[in-house]
Amino acid sequence: MTTFAEPMVHDELNGVVSALCARFPGRPRGEIETVVAKVYAELASSATITAHLIPLTLNRSRRLLSGARS
C-alpha cells in the first residue's frame, strides 16, 4: 500500500501548491513549494493519524503565506 501512497501524496501536495499559487499570485512558486513541503514534513513527523494531513497542510501553509511579508 505504501507504494501507492507516495505518488498520491505527491499529487495532492502539487494540488495544494497550485491552489496557493492561485491565491497568492505575487509569490514565487518556489517559495510556496518550500512552505508546503516544510509544513507537510512537520505535520507528518508527529502524526499518528494521516487522513487529514493534506487539508491541514493547506490551511497552515495558507496562514503562513498570508502572515509573511512579501
Side-chain angles (χ1 to χ4, degrees):
M1 182 109 178
T2 58
T3 57
F4 297 117
E6 284 303 316
M8 181 184 257
V9 169
H10 184 268
D11 291 345
E12 292 287 337
L13 290 177
N14 277 336
V16 169
V17 169
S18 294
L20 292 172
C21 284
R23 182 158 182 153
F24 300 100
R27 296 211 184 258
R29 184 175 181 90
E31 176 187 0
I32 293 173
E33 288 173 347
T34 300
V35 169
V36 169
K38 286 182 181 179
V39 166
Y40 180 81
E42 177 186 320
L43 291 171
S45 71
S46 62
T48 55
I49 299 173
T50 60
H52 302 291
L53 281 177
I54 300 300
L56 289 170
T57 299
L58 173 62
N59 290 335
R60 186 173 291 177
S61 297
R62 186 182 65 235
R63 283 195 317 258
L64 287 172
L65 289 165
S66 66
R69 297 179 189 249
S70 306

Coordinates of all heavy atoms in Angstrom, one line a residue:
M1 N 0.8 -1.2 0.0 CA 0.0 0.0 0.0 C 0.9 1.3 0.0 O 0.5 2.2 -0.6 CB -0.9 0.0 1.2 CG -1.8 1.1 1.3 SD -3.5 0.6 0.9 CE -4.4 2.1 1.1
T2 N 2.0 1.2 0.6 CA 2.8 2.4 0.7 C 3.3 2.8 -0.7 O 3.6 4.0 -0.9 CB 4.0 2.3 1.6 OG1 4.8 1.1 1.2 CG2 3.6 2.1 3.0
T3 N 3.5 1.9 -1.6 CA 3.9 2.2 -3.0 C 2.9 3.1 -3.7 O 3.2 3.9 -4.5 CB 4.1 1.0 -3.8 OG1 3.0 0.2 -3.9 CG2 5.3 0.2 -3.3
F4 N 1.6 3.0 -3.4 CA 0.5 3.8 -3.9 C 0.4 5.1 -3.2 O 0.0 6.1 -3.8 CB -0.8 3.1 -3.9 CG -0.8 1.8 -4.8 CD1 -1.0 0.6 -4.2 CD2 -0.6 1.9 -6.1 CE1 -1.0 -0.6 -4.9 CE2 -0.6 0.7 -6.9 CZ -0.8 -0.5 -6.3
A5 N 0.8 5.1 -1.9 CA 0.6 6.3 -1.1 C 1.5 7.5 -1.6 O 1.1 8.6 -1.6 CB 0.8 6.0 0.4
E6 N 2.7 7.2 -1.9 CA 3.7 8.2 -2.2 C 3.3 9.1 -3.4 O 3.3 10.3 -3.3 CB 5.1 7.7 -2.4 CG 5.8 7.3 -1.1 CD 5.8 8.5 -0.1 OE1 6.2 9.6 -0.5 OE2 5.5 8.3 1.1
P7 N 3.0 8.4 -4.6 CA 2.5 9.3 -5.7 C 1.3 10.1 -5.4 O 1.1 11.2 -5.9 CB 2.3 8.3 -6.8 CG 3.1 7.1 -6.5 CD 3.1 7.0 -5.0
M8 N 0.4 9.5 -4.6 CA -0.9 10.1 -4.3 C -0.6 11.4 -3.5 O -1.1 12.5 -3.7 CB -1.8 9.2 -3.5 CG -3.1 9.9 -3.2 SD -4.2 8.8 -2.2 CE -5.3 8.3 -3.5
V9 N 0.3 11.3 -2.5 CA 0.7 12.4 -1.6 C 1.4 13.5 -2.5 O 1.1 14.6 -2.4 CB 1.6 11.9 -0.5 CG1 2.2 13.1 0.2 CG2 0.8 11.1 0.5
H10 N 2.2 13.0 -3.4 CA 2.9 14.0 -4.3 C 1.9 14.8 -5.1 O 2.0 16.0 -5.2 CB 3.9 13.2 -5.2 CG 4.7 14.1 -6.1 ND1 4.3 14.4 -7.3 CD2 5.8 14.7 -5.9 CE1 5.2 15.2 -7.9 NE2 6.1 15.4 -7.0
D11 N 0.9 14.1 -5.7 CA -0.1 14.7 -6.5 C -1.0 15.7 -5.6 O -1.3 16.8 -6.0 CB -1.1 13.7 -7.1 CG -0.3 12.9 -8.2 OD1 0.7 13.3 -8.7 OD2 -0.9 11.8 -8.6
E12 N -1.3 15.2 -4.4 CA -2.1 16.1 -3.5 C -1.3 17.3 -3.1 O -1.9 18.4 -3.1 CB -2.5 15.3 -2.2 CG -3.5 14.2 -2.5 CD -4.9 14.7 -2.8 OE1 -5.2 15.8 -2.4 OE2 -5.6 13.9 -3.4
L13 N -0.1 17.2 -2.8 CA 0.7 18.4 -2.5 C 0.9 19.3 -3.6 O 0.9 20.5 -3.5 CB 2.1 17.9 -1.9 CG 2.0 17.3 -0.5 CD1 3.4 16.8 -0.1 CD2 1.4 18.2 0.5
N14 N 1.0 18.8 -4.8 CA 1.0 19.6 -6.0 C -0.3 20.4 -6.2 O -0.3 21.6 -6.6 CB 1.3 18.8 -7.3 CG 2.7 18.5 -7.5 OD1 3.6 19.3 -7.0 ND2 3.0 17.5 -8.3
G15 N -1.4 19.8 -5.8 CA -2.7 20.5 -5.8 C -2.7 21.6 -4.8 O -3.2 22.7 -5.0
V16 N -2.1 21.3 -3.6 CA -2.1 22.4 -2.6 C -1.2 23.5 -3.1 O -1.6 24.7 -2.9 CB -1.5 21.8 -1.3 CG1 -1.1 22.9 -0.3 CG2 -2.4 20.8 -0.6
V17 N -0.1 23.2 -3.7 CA 0.8 24.3 -4.2 C 0.0 25.1 -5.3 O 0.1 26.3 -5.3 CB 2.1 23.7 -4.8 CG1 2.9 24.8 -5.5 CG2 2.9 23.2 -3.6
S18 N -0.6 24.4 -6.2 CA -1.4 25.1 -7.2 C -2.5 26.0 -6.7 O -2.7 27.2 -7.1 CB -2.0 24.1 -8.2 OG -1.0 23.4 -8.9
A19 N -3.2 25.5 -5.7 CA -4.2 26.3 -5.1 C -3.7 27.6 -4.4 O -4.2 28.7 -4.5 CB -5.0 25.5 -4.0
L20 N -2.5 27.4 -3.7 CA -1.9 28.5 -3.0 C -1.3 29.5 -4.0 O -1.3 30.7 -3.8 CB -0.9 28.0 -2.0 CG -1.5 27.3 -0.8 CD1 -0.4 26.7 0.0 CD2 -2.3 28.2 0.0
C21 N -0.8 29.0 -5.2 CA -0.3 29.9 -6.2 C -1.4 30.8 -6.8 O -1.2 32.0 -7.0 CB 0.4 29.1 -7.3 SG 2.0 28.5 -6.9
A22 N -2.6 30.2 -6.9 CA -3.7 31.0 -7.4 C -4.2 32.0 -6.3 O -4.6 33.1 -6.7 CB -4.9 30.1 -7.7
R23 N -4.1 31.7 -5.1 CA -4.5 32.6 -4.0 C -3.4 33.7 -3.8 O -3.8 34.8 -3.4 CB -4.7 31.8 -2.7 CG -5.2 32.7 -1.6 CD -5.9 31.9 -0.6 NE -6.3 32.9 0.5 CZ -7.4 32.7 1.2 NH1 -8.1 31.6 1.1 NH2 -7.7 33.6 2.1
F24 N -2.2 33.4 -4.0 CA -1.1 34.3 -3.7 C -0.3 34.5 -5.0 O 0.9 34.1 -5.1 CB -0.2 33.8 -2.6 CG -0.9 33.6 -1.3 CD1 -1.3 32.4 -0.9 CD2 -1.1 34.7 -0.5 CE1 -1.9 32.2 0.3 CE2 -1.8 34.6 0.7 CZ -2.2 33.3 1.1
P25 N -0.9 35.1 -6.0 CA -0.2 35.2 -7.3 C 1.1 36.0 -7.3 O 2.0 35.9 -8.2 CB -1.2 35.9 -8.2 CG -2.1 36.6 -7.3 CD -2.1 35.8 -6.0
G26 N 1.3 36.9 -6.3 CA 2.5 37.7 -6.2 C 3.7 36.9 -5.6 O 4.8 37.4 -5.6
R27 N 3.5 35.7 -5.1 CA 4.6 35.0 -4.5 C 5.1 34.0 -5.5 O 4.4 33.3 -6.3 CB 4.1 34.2 -3.3 CG 3.6 35.1 -2.2 CD 3.8 34.5 -0.9 NE 3.3 35.3 0.2 CZ 4.1 36.0 0.9 NH1 5.4 36.0 0.7 NH2 3.6 36.8 1.9
P28 N 6.4 33.8 -5.5 CA 7.0 32.8 -6.4 C 6.6 31.4 -6.1 O 6.5 31.0 -4.9 CB 8.6 33.0 -6.2 CG 8.7 34.2 -5.4 CD 7.4 34.5 -4.7
R29 N 6.4 30.6 -7.1 CA 6.0 29.2 -6.9 C 7.0 28.4 -6.0 O 6.6 27.6 -5.2 CB 5.8 28.5 -8.3 CG 5.3 27.0 -8.1 CD 5.0 26.4 -9.4 NE 4.5 25.0 -9.3 CZ 3.3 24.7 -9.1 NH1 2.4 25.7 -9.2 NH2 2.9 23.5 -9.0
G30 N 8.3 28.7 -6.2 CA 9.3 28.0 -5.4 C 9.2 28.3 -3.9 O 9.4 27.4 -3.1
E31 N 8.8 29.5 -3.6 CA 8.6 29.9 -2.2 C 7.4 29.1 -1.6 O 7.5 28.5 -0.5 CB 8.3 31.4 -2.1 CG 8.0 31.8 -0.6 CD 7.5 33.3 -0.6 OE1 7.5 34.0 -1.6 OE2 7.2 33.7 0.6
I32 N 6.3 29.0 -2.4 CA 5.1 28.3 -2.0 C 5.4 26.8 -1.8 O 5.0 26.2 -0.8 CB 4.0 28.6 -2.9 CG1 3.6 30.0 -2.8 CG2 2.8 27.6 -2.6 CD1 2.5 30.5 -3.8
E33 N 6.2 26.2 -2.8 CA 6.6 24.8 -2.7 C 7.4 24.5 -1.4 O 7.2 23.5 -0.8 CB 7.4 24.4 -3.9 CG 6.5 24.3 -5.2 CD 7.4 24.1 -6.4 OE1 8.6 24.2 -6.4 OE2 6.8 23.7 -7.4
T34 N 8.3 25.5 -1.1 CA 9.1 25.3 0.1 C 8.2 25.3 1.4 O 8.4 24.5 2.3 CB 10.2 26.4 0.2 OG1 11.0 26.3 -1.0 CG2 11.0 26.2 1.4
V35 N 7.3 26.3 1.4 CA 6.4 26.4 2.6 C 5.6 25.1 2.8 O 5.5 24.5 3.8 CB 5.5 27.6 2.5 CG1 4.5 27.6 3.6 CG2 6.4 28.9 2.7
V36 N 5.0 24.7 1.7 CA 4.2 23.5 1.7 C 5.0 22.2 2.1 O 4.5 21.4 3.0 CB 3.5 23.2 0.3 CG1 2.8 21.9 0.3 CG2 2.4 24.3 0.1
A37 N 6.2 22.1 1.6 CA 7.0 20.9 1.9 C 7.4 20.9 3.4 O 7.3 19.9 4.0 CB 8.2 20.9 1.0
K38 N 7.8 22.1 3.9 CA 8.2 22.2 5.3 C 7.0 21.9 6.2 O 7.1 21.2 7.2 CB 8.8 23.5 5.6 CG 10.2 23.7 5.0 CD 10.7 25.0 5.4 CE 12.1 25.2 4.8 NZ 12.7 26.5 5.1
V39 N 5.8 22.5 5.9 CA 4.7 22.3 6.7 C 4.2 20.8 6.7 O 4.0 20.2 7.8 CB 3.5 23.2 6.3 CG1 2.2 22.8 6.9 CG2 3.8 24.6 6.6
Y40 N 4.2 20.2 5.5 CA 3.8 18.8 5.4 C 4.8 17.9 6.2 O 4.4 17.0 7.0 CB 3.8 18.3 4.0 CG 3.4 16.9 3.9 CD1 2.0 16.5 4.0 CD2 4.3 15.9 3.7 CE1 1.6 15.2 3.9 CE2 3.9 14.5 3.7 CZ 2.6 14.2 3.7 OH 2.2 12.9 3.7
A41 N 6.1 18.1 6.1 CA 7.1 17.3 6.8 C 6.9 17.5 8.3 O 7.0 16.5 9.0 CB 8.5 17.7 6.4
E42 N 6.7 18.7 8.8 CA 6.5 18.9 10.2 C 5.3 18.2 10.7 O 5.3 17.6 11.8 CB 6.4 20.4 10.4 CG 6.1 20.8 11.9 CD 5.8 22.3 12.1 OE1 6.5 23.1 11.4 OE2 4.9 22.6 12.9
L43 N 4.2 18.3 10.0 CA 2.9 17.7 10.4 C 3.1 16.1 10.4 O 2.6 15.4 11.3 CB 1.8 18.1 9.6 CG 1.3 19.6 9.7 CD1 0.3 19.9 8.7 CD2 0.7 19.8 11.1
A44 N 3.7 15.6 9.3 CA 3.8 14.2 9.1 C 4.7 13.5 10.1 O 4.5 12.4 10.5 CB 4.3 13.9 7.7
S45 N 5.7 14.3 10.6 CA 6.7 13.7 11.5 C 6.0 13.4 12.9 O 6.5 12.5 13.6 CB 7.8 14.7 11.7 OG 7.4 15.8 12.5
S46 N 5.0 14.0 13.2 CA 4.4 13.8 14.5 C 2.9 13.2 14.4 O 2.3 13.0 15.4 CB 4.3 15.0 15.4 OG 3.6 16.0 14.8
A47 N 2.5 12.9 13.2 CA 1.1 12.5 13.0 C 0.9 11.0 13.4 O 1.8 10.2 13.0 CB 0.7 12.7 11.6
T48 N -0.1 10.7 14.1 CA -0.5 9.3 14.3 C -1.6 8.9 13.4 O -1.8 7.8 13.1 CB -0.9 9.1 15.8 OG1 -1.9 10.0 16.1 CG2 0.3 9.4 16.7
I49 N -2.4 9.9 13.0 CA -3.5 9.7 12.0 C -3.1 10.6 10.8 O -3.0 11.8 11.0 CB -4.8 10.0 12.6 CG1 -5.1 9.1 13.8 CG2 -5.9 9.9 11.5 CD1 -6.4 9.4 14.5
T50 N -3.0 10.0 9.6 CA -2.6 10.8 8.5 C -3.7 11.2 7.5 O -3.5 11.8 6.5 CB -1.5 10.0 7.7 OG1 -2.1 8.8 7.3 CG2 -0.3 9.7 8.6
A51 N -4.9 10.9 7.9 CA -6.0 11.1 7.0 C -6.2 12.6 6.6 O -6.7 12.9 5.6 CB -7.3 10.5 7.5
H52 N -5.9 13.5 7.5 CA -6.2 14.9 7.3 C -4.9 15.7 7.1 O -4.9 17.0 7.2 CB -6.9 15.5 8.5 CG -8.2 14.7 8.8 ND1 -9.3 14.8 7.9 CD2 -8.6 13.9 9.8 CE1 -10.3 14.0 8.4 NE2 -9.9 13.5 9.5
L53 N -3.8 15.1 6.8 CA -2.5 15.8 6.6 C -2.6 16.8 5.5 O -2.1 17.9 5.6 CB -1.4 14.9 6.4 CG -0.8 14.2 7.6 CD1 0.3 13.2 7.2 CD2 -0.3 15.2 8.6
I54 N -3.3 16.5 4.4 CA -3.3 17.4 3.2 C -4.1 18.7 3.5 O -3.6 19.8 3.3 CB -3.8 16.7 2.0 CG1 -2.9 15.5 1.6 CG2 -4.0 17.7 0.8 CD1 -1.5 15.9 1.3
P55 N -5.3 18.5 4.1 CA -6.1 19.8 4.4 C -5.4 20.6 5.5 O -5.4 21.8 5.5 CB -7.4 19.3 4.9 CG -7.5 17.9 4.5 CD -6.2 17.4 4.2
L56 N -4.8 19.9 6.5 CA -4.0 20.7 7.5 C -2.8 21.4 6.9 O -2.5 22.5 7.3 CB -3.6 19.7 8.6 CG -4.6 19.1 9.5 CD1 -4.1 18.0 10.4 CD2 -5.2 20.2 10.4
T57 N -2.2 20.7 5.9 CA -1.0 21.4 5.3 C -1.5 22.6 4.5 O -0.9 23.7 4.6 CB -0.4 20.4 4.3 OG1 0.1 19.3 5.1 CG2 0.8 21.0 3.6
L58 N -2.6 22.5 3.8 CA -3.2 23.6 3.1 C -3.5 24.8 4.0 O -3.1 25.9 3.8 CB -4.4 23.2 2.3 CG -5.2 24.3 1.6 CD1 -4.3 25.0 0.6 CD2 -6.5 23.8 1.0
N59 N -4.2 24.5 5.1 CA -4.6 25.6 6.0 C -3.4 26.2 6.7 O -3.3 27.5 6.7 CB -5.5 25.0 7.0 CG -6.9 24.7 6.5 OD1 -7.3 25.2 5.4 ND2 -7.6 23.7 7.1
R60 N -2.5 25.4 7.2 CA -1.3 26.0 7.8 C -0.4 26.8 6.8 O 0.1 27.9 7.2 CB -0.5 25.0 8.6 CG 0.6 25.6 9.4 CD 1.4 24.6 10.3 NE 0.5 24.2 11.3 CZ 0.8 23.3 12.2 NH1 2.0 22.7 12.2 NH2 0.0 22.9 13.2
S61 N -0.2 26.3 5.7 CA 0.6 27.0 4.6 C -0.1 28.3 4.3 O 0.6 29.3 4.1 CB 0.7 26.1 3.4 OG 1.4 24.9 3.7
R62 N -1.4 28.3 4.1 CA -2.1 29.5 3.8 C -2.0 30.5 4.8 O -1.7 31.7 4.5 CB -3.6 29.2 3.5 CG -4.4 30.4 3.0 CD -5.9 30.1 2.9 NE -6.5 29.8 4.2 CZ -7.1 28.7 4.4 NH1 -7.3 27.8 3.5 NH2 -7.7 28.6 5.6
R63 N -2.0 30.1 6.1 CA -1.9 31.1 7.2 C -0.4 31.6 7.2 O -0.3 32.8 7.4 CB -2.2 30.4 8.5 CG -3.6 30.2 8.8 CD -3.9 29.9 10.3 NE -3.0 28.9 10.8 CZ -3.3 27.7 11.0 NH1 -4.5 27.2 10.7 NH2 -2.4 26.9 11.6
L64 N 0.6 30.8 7.0 CA 1.9 31.3 7.0 C 2.2 32.2 5.8 O 2.8 33.3 6.0 CB 2.9 30.1 6.9 CG 3.0 29.2 8.1 CD1 3.9 28.0 7.8 CD2 3.7 30.0 9.2
L65 N 1.7 31.9 4.7 CA 1.9 32.8 3.5 C 1.1 34.1 3.6 O 1.6 35.2 3.2 CB 1.4 32.1 2.2 CG 2.4 30.9 1.8 CD1 1.7 30.1 0.8 CD2 3.7 31.5 1.3
S66 N 0.0 34.1 4.2 CA -0.8 35.4 4.4 C -0.2 36.2 5.5 O -0.3 37.5 5.4 CB -2.2 35.1 4.7 OG -2.4 34.5 5.9
G67 N 0.5 35.6 6.5 CA 1.1 36.4 7.5 C 2.5 36.8 7.2 O 3.1 37.8 7.8
A68 N 3.2 36.2 6.2 CA 4.6 36.6 5.9 C 4.6 37.8 5.0 O 3.6 38.1 4.3 CB 5.2 35.4 5.1
R69 N 5.6 38.6 5.1 CA 5.8 39.8 4.3 C 6.4 39.4 3.0 O 7.3 38.6 2.9 CB 6.6 40.8 5.0 CG 6.0 41.3 6.3 CD 6.9 42.3 7.0 NE 6.4 42.5 8.3 CZ 5.9 43.7 8.7 NH1 5.9 44.7 7.8 NH2 5.5 43.9 9.9
S70 N 5.9 40.1 2.0 CA 6.4 39.9 0.6 C 7.8 40.6 0.4 O 8.0 41.6 0.9 CB 5.5 40.4 -0.4 OG 4.2 39.9 -0.3

